[in-house]
Amino acid sequence: MSKVKVGIIGVGGIATDAHIPGYQAVQEVELYAVADVNYERALAVANQFDLPESRAFADYNDMLALGVLDAVSVCTPNNFHAPASVAALEAGVHVLCEKPMAGNGKDARAMWEASIRSGKILQIGVNSRFGARAQTLKRIIEAGEFGEIYFARCVAMRRRGIPGWGSFIRKDLNGGGALYDIGVHILDRTIWLMGAPVPLSASAMTCAKFGTREGIVNPWGQWDVSKFDVDDFATGFVRFENGAALLLETAWASNIEGVGPSYILGTEGGCHVDGNVIYKQRHDTLVNETYEIRDAREGTHTIEIRKFIEAIREGKPSPVPPEEVYRVQLIMDAMYKSSETGEEVKIHYTAP
Ligand SMILES: NC(=O)c1ccc[n+]([C@@H]2O[C@H](COP(=O)([O-])OP(=O)(O)OC[C@H]3O[C@@H](n4cnc5c(N)ncnc54)[C@H](O)[C@@H]3O)[C@@H](O)[C@H]2O)c1
């Protein structure tokens, strides 16, 4: 196969800082074109990465109409993930779409269905799965060292880290706030480590306690307080079909520092997800097994891109099965609904 020709839809921060450098690190790829509703931005990025200006587009449909792309990265705000991904899949182009999968579960399902119809790969950018620690832990869990996993606590708390750039704080563009931005990473990685059980229900509280206030100290920059209409904190409890449960705590801003790490409990072993020790019982005593983490030489975005390109070239399925991330989207939707209604919300997962 000749080089995989790649286009980028939405060339903001994550595209220029992670996706484009990631594709450039993979020999079998040709970065071919870029598209952004902000045409000036598309042109600037084309210049920055030595593409002819004729390969910068304001409308991604015009880029897809070239008919030469094999794959695209979708790096737009969340609410445009679905239309851009579906258009690309329907044009016969493989898609690596940033997290969260979409701005809501209905859109996420449309993306999954489009990938099934087209037979093209849909990979969601849950890059934290590809960290050396997570990969090591996954191998240990899959070997049965934890026995039955029945509970996990996943925590991603910032003292002050409200994104002061882009449009993260706007619901009309992104669908949600801290839960969709950082909660999704920790939820996805934890549920993947648990063996991707099917969720049954969620009960949650989400709120905005900092984003709507003037004068908040925030080293991540200043946002427009009058436009902030998403959550900056979320906590939730999820039940799964296999009897397991999960607790989530996530925040862009909070008055706490150094909140204890995420952990996973199994009948035969347990661990802190950010540590390197497994707690067990053996020979009538308690044992702590230390495992070595061989650091990958590349960042998680580049690894995810390598896996994407390898799957395209070798005709493999998506390295991140869409149904797993779709279920995470359903959990987050149920959390928002539960917060609104004050009640536990049932999750009705079905495959297309
Ligand atoms: N995996 C990660 O760790 C990670 C980190 C940061 C951001 N992200 C995700 O990446 C996506 C983009 O985030 P960002 O920080 O790059 O935002 P950004 O605001 O810097 O960039 C978004 C770009 O998309 C463009 N755009 C908006 N609507 C468009 C459309 N309909 N068609 C084409 N272009 C469009 C904007 O003009 C902008 O240039 C979000 O979904 C975010 O959740 C993921």
Side-chain angles (χ1 to χ4, degrees):
M1 186 181 179
S2 54
K3 287 196 172 191
V4 176
K5 288 192 175 62
V6 171
I8 313 284
I9 301 179
V11 281
I14 200 68
T16 53
D17 295 352
H19 284 247
I20 295 178
Y23 285 119
Q24 287 180 322
V26 183
Q27 268 189 350
E28 302 87 3
V29 169
E30 179 184 356
L31 175 68
Y32 195 83
V34 293
D36 198 298
V37 278
N38 178 346
Y39 182 59
E40 294 301 310
R41 174 79 187 158
L43 269 183
V45 172
N47 283 325
Q48 183 185 348
F49 293 98
D50 297 326
L51 294 179
E53 293 196 346
S54 59
R55 304 239 196 108
F57 296 87
D59 184 340
Y60 57 76
N61 290 303
D62 294 334
M63 180 174 82
L64 294 171
L66 291 173
V68 297
L69 294 180
D70 300 299
V72 291
S73 269
V74 175
C75 300
T76 62
N78 307 338
N79 286 351
F80 306 105
H81 287 183
S85 298
V86 170
L89 290 163
E90 285 179 347
V93 171
H94 301 285
V95 171
L96 170 59
C97 175
E98 262 307 336
K99 51 49 62 171
M101 190 164 181
N104 57 64
K106 192 164 162 257
D107 280 2
R109 190 174 183 91
M111 293 163 68
W112 183 17
E113 287 174 349
S115 82
I116 293 171
R117 274 198 311 276
S118 66
K120 298 292 165 186
I121 292 169
L122 171 63
Q123 180 177 339
I124 306 302
V126 281
N127 54 300
S128 76
R129 286 188 186 198
F130 294 107
R133 192 182 301 274
Q135 289 287 323
T136 307
L137 198 48
K138 180 74 172 165
R139 284 198 301 280
I140 294 170
I141 289 173
E142 283 189 336
E145 294 283 336
F146 279 54
E148 177 200 340
I149 294 179
Y150 58 92
F151 179 76
R153 177 180 177 222
C154 49
V155 181
M157 296 286 290
R158 292 178 187 160
R159 183 166 173 186
R160 292 290 190 278
I162 300 178
W165 67 93
S167 57
F168 289 84
I169 59 151
R170 286 180 51 184
K171 194 169 181 185
D172 60 335
L173 299 178
N174 283 291
L179 179 57
Y180 270 10
D181 183 36
I182 51 177
V184 66
H185 273 304
I186 191 82
L187 259 179
D188 175 79
R189 191 180 64 181
T190 306
I191 296 171
W192 168 72
L193 287 169
M194 293 170 82
V198 173
L200 278 186
S201 66
S203 183
M205 186 277 270
T206 70
C207 58
K209 298 294 181 193
F210 293 83
T212 50
R213 277 156 66 189
E214 298 285 358
I216 295 297
V217 175
N218 187 63
W220 291 41
Q222 185 55 58
W223 65 98
D224 184 345
V225 167
S226 69
K227 293 211 166 87
F228 192 104
D229 63 355
V230 292
D231 49 292
D232 56 30
F233 173 82
T235 183
F237 179 74
V238 185
R239 293 176 196 278
F240 296 92
E241 231 172 57
N242 65 356
L246 170 150
L247 203 55
L248 166 83
E249 293 158 46
T250 190
W252 271 340
S254 59
N255 283 324
I256 196 74
E257 189 95 70
V259 177
S262 308
Y263 60 82
I264 294 180
L265 300 182
T267 50
E268 307 306 316
C271 72
H272 293 293
V273 175
D274 299 311
N276 65 340
V277 177
I278 300 175
Y279 303 95
K280 298 177 84 86
Q281 166 178 332
R282 197 172 286 150
H283 313 299
D284 288 331
T285 191
L286 301 179
V287 294
N288 303 346
E289 287 179 349
T290 312
Y291 55 94
E292 186 183 302
I293 297 156
R294 302 228 176 101
D295 263 334
R297 277 182 213 96
E298 292 181 316
T300 53
H301 275 107
T302 302
I303 298 170
E304 118 188 317
I305 282 167
R306 264 191 208 290
K307 298 265 176 209
F308 178 54
I309 297 301
E310 185 185 298
I312 292 171
R313 290 177 65 87
E314 298 178 16
K316 293 181 182 166
S318 175
V320 177
E323 62 267 31
E324 293 179 7
V325 199
Y326 170 62
R327 291 198 291 254
V328 172
Q329 190 85 40
L330 292 185
I331 291 172
M332 296 191 300
D333 278 15
M335 284 186 173
Y336 283 129
K337 194 165 171 205
S338 169
S339 186
E340 262 174 50
T341 61
E343 291 180 358
E344 187 170 50
V345 171
K346 297 270 178 235
I347 296 170
H348 303 284
Y349 166 74
T350 55

